[in-house]
Amino acid sequence: MAIEVRVQREPFDPAALLPAGDGAAGAAVLFAGQVRADDGLSEMEIEHWPGVTEERLRLFAAEAAERFGLLRACIVHRHGPLRPGETIMAVACTAPHRRAAFDGAAFLMDWLKSRAPFWKKERGPWGERWVEAAPEDEDALGRW
Amino acid sequence: MAIEVRVQREPFDPAALLPAGDGAAGAAVLFAGQVRADDGLSEMEIEHWPGVTEERLRLFAAEAAERFGLLRACIVHRHGPLRPGETIMAVACTAPHRRAAFDGAAFLMDWLKSRAPFWKKERGPWGERWVEAAPEDEDALGRW
Amino acid sequence: MRILYFAWLRERIGISSEEVETAAPTPAALVEELRAREPRYAAAFADTKAVRVAVDQEMRGWDADLAGAREVAFFPPMTGG
Amino acid sequence: MRILYFAWLRERIGISSEEVETAAPTPAALVEELRAREPRYAAAFADTKAVRVAVDQEMRGWDADLAGAREVAFFPPMTGG
């Protein structure tokens, strides 16, 4: 079982997180989150808690691997300024079968959304504003 | 709303199905199914129903796009002989938010598993055998 | 009427499609006719619980109406993905 | 004790971290001390329902025991992904 976590300022190619088939993983699920240009958004800025973020993400990935029997769990998350269309973060999970790979990736996304120390600020024609936590993101944790 | 379906003998790179961020899609989910080397499997051969397969996949993709509000749904499925580790098929969905992208991809996988005219034969030390439909794949349709 | 066979049905019968003259009113009746023709058909259709039917490319039951149908396909449950 | 501020708390207070001498027994008491210091703290902590607390990097409630704690962090609910 392999776990890989990266928190970085630099852009990255989410497709590169998909592993080559190894004969054990029958299923790979890759999630990529991208900056939407809602309401004329021109820039998003992501703040995080260096050190603690990585530790949390590793914990979530280990929990997901254990719970769903993942063969591999990988999380890459950017911080700093991002433009519309840019990839903010990506999660990749492999498992013998599809349900585990889907559940692993969805579980990681739900935890990452509300329990990893990231904060987003948006800039646009309206000035700048901090993104507020969505109640449905908190609710999403309830299903795990 | 864009739909793309390909059924082909040639290998393909699933990562290429991930679209570039366009400012509308906040979430992209890519599923890739790969040949497992279970029980010393040496080759898998996929038979399909030319013409009808493509039509069914387009119907499923249109249904998923409508139901979950997908911006794009893409399915590529190979036929012919495949080796362990090779990518059999991939599904990619984009949506404004993550839940729709996850649900779209999982929905397409569940329908594709039991309602698209594909049949798999496995070869290995035991000779060759046709893969039987799994009851849990049929059950999986119940949740949609 | 055109008949198609897929997967192990195709293998057991030895062909992937054929044209037959038939007045069978249902897929069940059509299979009875085929079974009576040759042992390989009888062997292929020994257990019809493991066989699915499509009439003019739509999934149908064993007692579907074949009046006007141009094509009937027989195959095991699908296993894609 | 080291105190960390993130996101709009950091912006309103104007610093991301500081060392303070305090005997506050809980995060709630610590915030009362900070509020009394300067208006920018009072403004930042005007609505503590919108603020979360971590003590030594673990999420804790407002009445957590700060005895022996080396670090307290204040931040709004997280919004990653």
Side-chain angles (χ1 to χ4, degrees):
Chain A
M1 191 265 288
I3 283 175
E4 186 186 342
V5 164
R6 284 173 9 228
V7 180
Q8 62 184 43
R9 205 175 168 86
E10 299 71 35
F12 70 101
D13 177 14
L17 307 193
L18 266 187
D22 58 4
V29 169
L30 172 66
F31 176 92
Q34 296 161 335
V35 182
R36 287 191 313 279
D38 291 359
D39 307 329
L41 178 140
S42 57
E43 188 178 77
M44 172 170 282
E45 175 129 17
I46 297 175
E47 178 172 338
H48 78 122
W49 189 351
V52 176
T53 314
E54 289 85 342
E55 187 200 296
R56 286 306 134 91
L57 297 184
R58 269 191 293 267
L59 276 176
F60 300 160
E63 165 76 13
E66 161 90 18
R67 207 158 151 166
F68 304 107
L70 304 180
L71 298 165
R72 179 170 168 275
C74 176
I75 307 174
V76 180
H77 203 299
R78 291 182 64 188
H79 60 93
L82 291 106
R83 299 255 162 205
E86 279 197 89
T87 297
I88 307 171
M89 49 75 57
V91 155
C93 295
T94 64
H97 297 280
R98 75 186 185 285
R99 192 65 169 264
F102 271 119
D103 283 350
F107 172 95
L108 285 177
M109 286 308 303
D110 284 348
W111 280 85
L112 204 150
K113 276 269 169 186
S114 335
R115 292 291 186 274
F118 289 107
W119 298 274
K120 295 195 280 204
K121 181 196 257 183
E122 298 175 336
R123 296 193 180 91
W126 18 264
E128 59 177 48
R129 63 188 178 206
W130 288 94
V131 176
E132 285 187 45
E136 62 265 31
D137 283 336
E138 190 62 32
D139 296 345
L141 293 179
R143 65 178 173 132
W144 301 111
Chain B
M1 190 266 289
I3 282 176
E4 185 186 342
V5 164
R6 287 178 358 233
V7 179
Q8 62 185 43
R9 204 174 169 88
E10 299 71 35
F12 70 101
D13 177 13
L17 306 193
L18 268 187
D22 58 5
V29 169
L30 172 65
F31 176 93
Q34 295 161 335
V35 182
R36 287 191 314 278
D38 291 359
D39 307 330
L41 177 141
S42 57
E43 189 178 77
M44 173 171 278
E45 175 129 17
I46 297 175
E47 179 172 336
H48 78 122
W49 189 350
V52 175
T53 314
E54 289 86 342
E55 187 201 295
R56 287 307 135 88
L57 296 184
R58 270 191 292 267
L59 276 176
F60 300 158
E63 166 75 13
E66 161 90 17
R67 206 157 152 167
F68 304 107
L70 304 179
L71 298 165
R72 180 170 167 275
C74 175
I75 307 173
V76 180
H77 203 300
R78 292 182 62 190
H79 61 91
L82 292 106
R83 302 256 161 204
E86 280 197 86
T87 297
I88 307 172
M89 49 76 57
V91 155
C93 294
T94 64
H97 298 280
R98 74 185 186 287
R99 193 63 171 264
F102 271 119
D103 283 349
F107 172 94
L108 285 178
M109 284 309 303
D110 285 347
W111 279 86
L112 203 151
K113 276 272 172 187
S114 336
R115 292 290 187 274
F118 289 107
W119 298 274
K120 294 197 277 204
K121 182 197 256 183
E122 299 175 336
R123 295 192 181 93
W126 19 263
E128 57 177 50
R129 63 189 178 204
W130 288 93
V131 177
E132 286 186 43
E136 62 265 31
D137 284 336
E138 189 62 32
D139 296 346
L141 293 179
R143 65 178 173 132
W144 302 112
Chain C
M1 184 182 288
R2 184 174 178 80
I3 312 193
L4 306 180
Y5 308 102
F6 291 99
W8 51 259
L9 279 148
R10 173 182 54 71
E11 287 184 336
R12 287 185 199 170
I13 294 168
I15 50 175
S16 57
S17 73
E18 61 183 323
E19 291 288 337
V20 300
E21 291 293 325
T22 179
T26 65
L30 175 58
V31 162
E32 282 313 306
E33 283 182 16
L34 293 169
R35 266 201 198 112
R37 268 165 55 172
E38 279 181 60
R40 61 193 168 115
Y41 289 95
F45 288 109
D47 178 16
T48 51
K49 280 200 298 296
V51 177
R52 300 289 177 268
V53 186
V55 177
D56 289 333
Q57 307 190 349
E58 293 296 333
M59 298 293 293
R60 291 284 183 260
W62 287 101
D63 55 356
D65 186 0
L66 289 188
R70 284 160 304 161
E71 181 189 272
V72 176
F74 296 107
F75 43 82
M78 298 155 174
T79 54
Chain D
M1 184 181 290
R2 183 175 178 79
I3 312 193
L4 306 180
Y5 308 102
F6 291 99
W8 52 259
L9 278 147
R10 173 182 55 71
E11 287 184 338
R12 287 186 200 170
I13 294 168
I15 51 174
S16 57
S17 73
E18 61 183 324
E19 290 289 336
V20 300
E21 291 293 324
T22 178
T26 64
L30 176 58
V31 162
E32 281 315 304
E33 285 183 13
L34 294 168
R35 266 202 198 110
R37 270 166 54 173
E38 279 179 62
R40 58 192 170 117
Y41 289 95
F45 288 108
D47 177 15
T48 52
K49 280 200 298 295
V51 177
R52 300 290 177 268
V53 186
V55 178
D56 289 334
Q57 308 190 347
E58 294 296 331
M59 298 292 294
R60 292 284 182 261
W62 287 101
D63 55 355
D65 185 1
L66 289 189
R70 286 160 302 163
E71 182 190 271
V72 176
F74 296 105
F75 42 83
M78 299 155 173
T79 53

